Amino acid sequence: MSISLRKHAAKLVAAALAVGTMASVSAAALEQPVAVLSSNLNSSVGTVLTSDQISTAEQALAKAKAEAEAKAKAEAEAKAKAEAEAAKQAAAANAYNQLLTAPVTAKTVSYSSSLLASDVIKSNATSLGSYKLTFYCPCATCNGVAGAKTASGTTPTEGRTIAVDSSIIPLGSRVYIEGYGVFIAEDTGGAIKNNKIDIFVSSHDRAYDLGVQNAAVYLLD
């Protein structure tokens, strides 16, 4: 065997041995040349190796490189998955925080499938079960006195005000009614007991048209 072939074989053996001892080496590191050999490995330059030994060394080096690349890929995928999950949880926390802090403004009360309770609500809010929904307006028929304030002293507003049993839902609480959205428990009523909620609307005609409904209710805070 020529001197150049012996040197080539020795380098392959050295590289294979070096790779075998580097369990945590990255795939990028394996691309770097073996720059320094130990004295024991250097002494093998004069050893005559067979072509099978050279082939074995080359295969060992290729296998180690492939394993390191696979490990690096798996670690990168695991990191990306963890980052995606963290981003998802952060988005969910932000969405729920919006439900707790965003102003509850006047809006027309009506059922919408876009307002079904999300997984964020189901995971974070307190489920109160199914409630019977009725509707009332500012008239004397609904309130006893026309234009009355709510039990909490606010002016009732459609899209914000609901009357509740305050022994179950404290006044001032934010309540999510599935299919209708977020409301604030601002009022009470003699007939509003247990799992019943009265939703304020702007007119008696609207209260009559909306009739009686049933929906899942969640206490947000």
Side-chain angles (χ1 to χ4, degrees):
M1 180 179 288
S2 66
I3 294 176
S4 61
L5 181 56
R6 288 199 302 272
K7 288 183 176 180
H8 173 66
K11 288 181 178 180
L12 285 173
V13 173
L17 291 173
V19 168
T21 63
M22 297 168 64
S24 62
V25 69
S26 68
L30 288 173
E31 297 293 340
Q32 304 301 315
V34 180
V36 179
L37 300 177
S38 68
S39 59
N40 289 337
L41 292 174
N42 275 325
S43 67
S44 69
V45 171
T47 301
V48 176
L49 300 176
T50 67
S51 59
D52 286 344
Q53 289 173 320
I54 294 173
S55 177
T56 298
E58 288 176 332
Q59 291 173 7
L61 180 60
K63 180 181 179 182
K65 180 179 177 181
E67 289 175 348
E69 289 174 341
K71 180 180 179 181
K73 181 180 179 181
E75 290 175 346
E77 289 175 348
K79 181 180 179 181
K81 184 177 180 180
E83 290 175 345
E85 182 61 26
K88 180 181 178 181
Q89 292 179 359
N94 182 62
Y96 191 71
N97 186 59
Q98 285 293 311
L99 291 173
L100 297 178
T101 60
V104 182
T105 56
K107 60 182 180 293
T108 300
V109 171
S110 63
Y111 176 87
S112 173
S113 59
S114 66
L115 294 174
L116 295 179
S118 66
D119 289 340
V120 170
I121 293 171
K122 293 177 180 179
S123 298
N124 294 279
T126 301
S127 174
L128 299 180
S130 180
Y131 267 59
K132 180 180 180 180
L133 308 178
T134 54
F135 301 83
Y136 73 111
C137 75
C139 75
T141 301
C142 290
N143 276 294
V145 178
K149 295 286 187 178
T150 67
S152 56
T154 63
T155 299
T157 302
E158 180 171 354
R160 187 192 72 206
T161 303
I162 56 174
V164 300
D165 182 341
S166 59
S167 68
I168 299 174
I169 302 174
L171 290 177
S173 299
R174 290 193 177 215
V175 176
Y176 195 92
I177 302 175
E178 187 165 50
Y180 294 89
V182 180
F183 295 84
I184 297 179
E186 296 183 323
D187 210 356
T188 58
I192 311 303
K193 300 297 181 183
N194 301 317
N195 60 334
K196 182 178 179 181
I197 286 177
D198 218 7
I199 301 176
F200 182 84
V201 292
S202 58
S203 71
H204 197 76
D205 285 342
R206 280 185 44 71
Y208 181 81
D209 289 341
L210 287 165
V212 177
Q213 308 290 334
N214 288 278
V217 172
Y218 299 86
L219 183 62
L220 297 179
D221 57 352

